[in-house]
Amino acid sequence: MVREKVTVSTRTLEWKCVESRADSKRLYYGRFILSPLMKGQADTIGIAMRRALLGEIEATCITRAKSEKIPHEYSTIVGIQESVHEILMNLKKVVLRSHLYGTRNASICVSGPGYITAQDIISPASVEIVDHTQHIASLTEPIDLCIELQIQRNRGCGYGIKTPNNFKDGSYPIDAVFMPVRNANHSIHSYGNGNEKQEILFLEIWTNGSLTPNEALHEASRNLINLFIPFLHGEEENVKLEDNQHTLTLPLFTFHDRLAKLRKNKKEIAFKSIFIDQLELPPRIYTCLKRSNIHTLLDLLNNNQEDLMKIEHFDIEDVKEIFGFLEKYF
C-alpha cells in the first residue's frame, strides 16, 4: 500500500495519487486529489468523472461457451460437481486484461478427476488472465471436459445481456460485465473564507484488477475530454456543412499514394512499430479502426478510401479527419 501526505497547491491546478493499494488480485484501490478548485467546480468534475469511470472504460470478458457435453443451460453432467449454470457463472467471474478488439477464441480441455481453474484456459497471447485461481468446475470422475470460449472487448456501459436469439450452434452466451471499475466515489473538502473559499476534490476508485485505478482515471479522463472536443469547433463545422452540404467529395489522393510519399520522405520510419494510439484520433474513430483489426500505421496505410468507407459507422468526414491527423503527425 502506498499513502502520501495530502498537500494543497495554492496556485496551479494539480492532481496526485495519495493512496494506492492492491487488496487482492481482483480488487485494487486508489485515492486521488485535484486542487485548488473554485466553489462548485469540484462537484462538476466529480460527477462527470464518476460517470466516465463507470460507463466509458472498455473491458474484456468471456461472452460465450460451447461444449458437446452440455444438453442445455440448466442441466447437470455426470462426473461434474457443478451444474452447467454454475459453470457459466464461474466463467463470468474470470477477469481478463487485454487491448484486443473484435472477437477471439479460447478453450478449456481437462481430464478428471480434478479441479478446473482459470489457469486451465488456453487463451490468445494478447489476453492475460488476472487471477489464475478462479474456480470453474470440479471433475469427480475420470471424464474429459472440453469447452470452447469466446472472448470480446466492449465499452463499460453495463452488461452484455443474453437473449433467446443468442442461443445457437449449441453454445451458451454469458452475461458479461464490461465494467472494470467496481465502484467510484467523490467527496469535496472546502477551505478558506469568503471570496477566497476553495475546494479539494477527492476521487476514490476500485477496479477488478484488469487495470489499476491510475489507468482507469487516465482512460476515463481522455474519453471525457474527447466528448467535449466537438463543441470547440461546433460553429465552424456548422458553417462548413451549410456551405458544402451538396459538394462533399472524397480527397483526390488515396492512402496508397500517401504511403508512397511517406516512404519517400520518411524512409527510416518503421510503420509496423507506430500504433494508431499515437495519432491521438477521436475515440469513436479509434474504436472503429481497432474493431476492424487496424492497429498500426501500416495497417491504416494499407487500406484505401473505399476500404475505410466500408467500416461500420464510418463516413466521408471520418476519412477526411484521418487524412488530417496523418498530415499533422508527419
Side-chain angles (χ1 to χ4, degrees), residues 213-224:
N214 201 335
E215 291 171 333
L217 184 63
H218 176 79
E219 185 173 343
S221 301
R222 183 184 62 186
N223 293 339
L224 191 61

Side-chain angles (χ1 to χ4, degrees), residues 56-153:
E56 297 293 333
I57 300 180
E58 296 186 339
T60 304
C61 297
I62 297 173
T63 57
R64 188 175 292 273
K66 178 181 179 181
S67 176
E68 296 179 355
K69 291 182 177 292
I70 301 178
H72 59 81
E73 183 180 1
Y74 298 100
S75 63
T76 58
I77 302 175
V78 176
I80 300 180
Q81 182 175 322
E82 293 81 4
S83 66
V84 173
H85 180 73
E86 289 173 326
I87 294 175
L88 295 177
M89 291 300 99
N90 289 336
L91 288 171
K92 178 180 176 179
K93 297 176 183 177
V94 176
V95 178
L96 303 175
R97 178 186 177 96
S98 80
H99 297 287
L100 65 82
Y101 284 83
T103 302
R104 297 291 187 274
N105 295 321
S107 63
I108 299 174
C109 195
V110 179
S111 298
Y115 295 98
I116 301 177
T117 64
Q119 186 174 1
D120 298 305
I121 298 176
I122 303 173
S123 61
S126 57
V127 178
E128 176 188 349
I129 299 171
V130 172
D131 185 6
H132 290 85
T133 64
Q134 168 61 45
H135 179 75
I136 296 175
S138 302
L139 304 184
T140 58
E141 296 183 12
I143 63 171
D144 296 330
L145 179 64
C146 292
I147 304 175
E148 299 176 20
L149 303 174
Q150 188 180 84
I151 298 174
Q152 286 183 318
R153 184 177 177 86

Side-chain angles (χ1 to χ4, degrees), residues 39 49 69-70 115 133 170 177 194 197 246 253 260 263 327:
K39 185 177 180 181
M49 282 302 304
K69 291 182 177 292
I70 301 178
Y115 295 98
T133 64
V177 182
K197 196 168 185 179
H246 300 298
F253 51 89
R263 283 176 173 167
E327 292 189 347

